Structures are given as C-alpha cells and as structure tokens.
Amino acid sequence: MAIPHRPEIQKLARSIYYWLNYVETVSKSQLLLESSVRYPLAEYIERQVRAIVSLEVPHPLFSGHNLDFVYKKDKNQRNIELKYLHEYSNDTNERQRIFNDLIRLAVLKDNGYFIRK
C-alpha cells in the first residue's frame, strides 16, 4: 500500500479540521484532546481508504504499550501515533514520552505515521 498522495492527505486534514470546528462550535469547553482527532481520522480511513481500522492496539514488540491506530487494507498494515503538542510539550518528561512513541513506531517493519498538532 503506497503512502497516500498529497490530495488524499489534504482531504484527511480537511475532514479533521471540519470536525474540530464542529466540536468547538457545539461545545462549551475550550479543551482539545488527542482523542478529538480519532473520530474523523478513523471515519476517513474507513470510508475513503476503505481499510479496517482498530484503535488502541497492543504494540507487537513493547508489552504494555498501545498503538493509537492500526489500519489494514489488503495484506498491508499502517500504524499511527497521535500527539497533541501544546505549551507544556517542551517539558523534559513530555519530550521523552514523545520520543519513546516515535521509537516504538520506528521499529515496526510496517510503515507508520506520527501526527501532531
């Protein structure tokens, strides 16, 4: 499975953008969480890419850690990690947590994506 072409990535980005605008419009909360992106991302992959999406899948090599998303199409698999970066992301512990996620994603033989705000 090839990496999505630029127009597909732009469609995905627009679907997430529109969903977050909707959430902001109907919500009284100013809180944006990493989990807010899950619904539009999973729906886009299921409906447009026509792949099977699983959330919080146990990492095959690191016990006790999950991958945020795994999607399969045909015999190919893609892995996705999400991170919401904010003013506290420069904290040493938070930077280590982000680095650890990147390493856990990089060691997989299947291609992976790391998405941040």
Side-chain angles (χ1 to χ4, degrees), residues 34-70:
E34 190 176 296
S35 60
S36 302
V37 177
R38 288 178 185 218
Y39 299 111
L41 181 59
E43 285 188 32
Y44 180 87
I45 292 170
E46 287 176 340
R47 294 177 184 180
Q48 298 297 318
V49 178
R50 303 212 187 281
I52 298 169
V53 178
S54 300
L55 303 174
E56 295 298 325
V57 176
H59 196 289
L61 302 174
F62 292 90
S63 179
H65 294 280
N66 292 335
L67 294 161
D68 290 337
F69 284 87
V70 172

Side-chain angles (χ1 to χ4, degrees), residues 59-98:
H59 196 289
L61 302 174
F62 292 90
S63 179
H65 294 280
N66 292 335
L67 294 161
D68 290 337
F69 284 87
V70 172
Y71 71 94
K72 297 177 183 176
K73 184 171 181 174
D74 303 321
K75 294 182 180 182
N76 297 304
Q77 176 174 307
R78 294 287 188 264
N79 307 292
I80 299 175
E81 282 292 331
L82 300 171
K83 283 291 166 260
Y84 179 69
L85 303 181
H86 45 75
E87 62 268 10
Y88 305 110
S89 298
N90 205 24
D91 174 74
T92 303
N93 292 333
E94 184 66 8
R95 290 171 72 182
Q96 184 67 53
R97 196 172 73 85
I98 293 167

Side-chain angles (χ1 to χ4, degrees), residues 2-20:
I3 294 174
H5 294 88
R6 186 175 181 87
E8 292 171 352
I9 292 173
Q10 289 174 341
K11 286 180 187 177
L12 172 58
R14 277 197 303 271
S15 68
I16 293 171
Y17 174 78
Y18 294 140
W19 172 258
L20 294 178

